């Protein structure tokens, strides 16, 4: 099964990479570009039936820096929840 | 309006950062971790009604390296007015 962890800077944390992209887009002639934020996506191939909690623990312990980053976990082929 | 560009390495392109994450997860005791791939998400605040083609051009010209990376564009439409 696959899981995807999306890591983004928390609101208010300065994003120099995003700012550089914004300026580069303006230099290329793209008008009307406002704030740009850059994050990471980590796609993991995992053993079947790995619980979401395990992936969240991976994110907390390694993939994201909880001081400045937040993360979201998306599970592919997640076992269907009871309706 | 907002747009999100997700940039990922093309299949077959070596991903040393993903490999490092895989080994680090194993060292932390997480079992059953297979391939790990790392990509980027760029979230852009754009002028209203910016066409998708413009964002695709931004991705081709600046955000992704078309030799080794592919990208996907997701447009978020202007939020609906609260009733």
């Amino acid at each position: 099964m696959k899981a995807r962890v999306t890591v983004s800077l928390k609101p208010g944390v300065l994003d120099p990479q995003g700012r550089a992209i914004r300026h580069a887009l303006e230099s290329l002639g793209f008008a009307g570009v406002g704030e740009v934020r850059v994050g990471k996506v980590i796609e993991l191939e995992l053993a079947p039936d790995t619980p979401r909690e395990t992936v969240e623990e991976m994110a907390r312990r390694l993939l994201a820096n909880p001081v400045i980053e937040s993360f979201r976990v998306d599970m592919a082929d997640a076992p269907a929840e009871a309706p």
Side-chain angles (χ1 to χ4, degrees), chain A residues 15-70:
Chain A
D15 184 348
Q17 196 183 357
R19 186 167 292 205
I21 288 176
R22 178 183 177 174
H23 290 153
L25 288 172
E26 282 167 356
S27 306
L28 287 171
F30 293 103
V33 180
E35 196 180 22
V36 178
R37 308 282 287 175
V38 182
K40 279 179 295 186
V41 212
I42 300 113
E43 291 190 327
L44 307 122
E45 184 65 48
L46 297 170
D49 302 324
T50 305
R52 169 184 290 271
E53 290 69 30
T54 303
V55 184
E56 288 174 350
E57 199 192 334
M58 291 176 180
R60 271 195 304 272
R61 291 185 60 190
L62 182 74
L63 306 176
N65 175 349
V67 178
I68 56 168
E69 291 173 330
S70 58

